[in-house]
Amino acid sequence: GAGVSQSPRYKVAKRGQDVALRCDPISGHVSLFWYQQALGQGPEFLTYFQNEAQLDKSGLPSDRFFAERPEGSVSTLKIQRTQQEDSAVYLCASSLGGGGVEQYFGPGTRLTVT
Amino acid sequence: AQKITQTQPGMFVQEKEAVTLDCTYDTSDQSYGLFWYKQPSSGEMIFLIYQGSYDEQNATEGRYSLNFQKARKSANLVISASQLGDSAMYFCAMRLTGTASKLTFGTGTRLQVTL
């Protein structure tokens, strides 16, 4: 596909379970970002990759959150021992270069922790 | 740290009318970019328009224009000739230039276009 894709689109997890959210960026895009969007709020930055290097993880809320992009394309955001406050939409975005103006967003994964 | 403020939680506009969505920002950096995104109910963030802090002309993209007032630190979005399909959440965002850095978003404005 031409755009950023994310899977699954919806995920329900019981509190304490681990989840893995996948992002397929636009082919050839160097930069990849993860954002967390709580209900009624704007997206908040979690982490950033340039190719396979994680250059900024300052937004990850706790050490239960882990992201990787081992081959510089697909990325996975993993949340261990999910808590109710982790319920949110997780958005992935990619851009062509490090200084690329426009970030292209995927449709997001809506995570609900019960 | 950067901050974006959108003071209008919701706005109504009649079809074919123009509407202005407000955005103010705060940063001590001189080089930055300002963005507007549209988020329909499907959830995807759609890029609308970009303004660089050194751009002298206000950005325009079709029916969208950005009213950039640097001294007031405001970057309002103007949508002309509103259409029913414009009904969505609108987010203002900022990114510092020169770094491959994150976008900082405001809390958004929900626009409802009525007949």
Side-chain angles (χ1 to χ4, degrees), chain B residues 7-75:
Chain B
T7 57
Q8 306 155 314
M11 290 281 286
F12 286 88
V13 64
Q14 273 195 314
E15 200 181 17
K16 300 177 188 171
E17 297 293 310
V19 63
T20 298
L21 306 184
D22 294 342
C23 172
T24 59
Y25 60 92
D26 188 25
T27 182
S28 55
D29 282 74
Q30 296 302 308
S31 184
Y32 49 87
L34 295 156
F35 301 76
W36 277 92
Y37 281 85
K38 173 183 178 181
Q39 188 176 44
S41 55
S42 59
E44 190 164 346
M45 300 288 282
I46 301 168
F47 168 76
L48 296 178
I49 196 166
Y50 166 80
Q51 178 87 40
S53 58
Y54 292 117
D55 294 342
E56 294 188 352
Q57 304 266 17
N58 283 348
T60 59
E61 288 286 348
R63 294 186 299 109
Y64 304 109
S65 61
L66 199 152
N67 184 1
F68 181 46
Q69 297 189 42
K70 196 169 182 177
R72 294 186 178 183
K73 293 191 173 179
S74 75

Side-chain angles (χ1 to χ4, degrees), chain A residues 7-74:
Chain A
S7 60
R9 289 294 314 276
Y10 303 91
K11 176 71 179 176
V12 178
K14 288 191 192 311
R15 190 159 55 100
Q17 283 184 334
D18 298 350
V19 298
L21 313 180
R22 177 186 168 107
C23 171
D24 280 89
I26 294 171
S27 177
H29 276 197
V30 167
S31 299
L32 187 147
F33 301 80
W34 283 98
Y35 294 86
Q36 180 190 58
Q37 186 176 18
L39 191 63
Q41 300 295 314
E44 292 196 356
F45 170 79
L46 293 177
T47 187
Y48 159 66
F49 290 86
Q50 186 167 318
N51 295 307
E52 68 277 6
Q54 189 175 20
L55 299 186
D56 187 350
K57 52 182 181 179
S58 62
L60 295 176
S62 77
D63 59 8
R64 296 185 296 103
F65 286 71
F66 171 76
E68 59 184 5
R69 194 186 184 198
E71 296 177 1
S73 55
V74 171

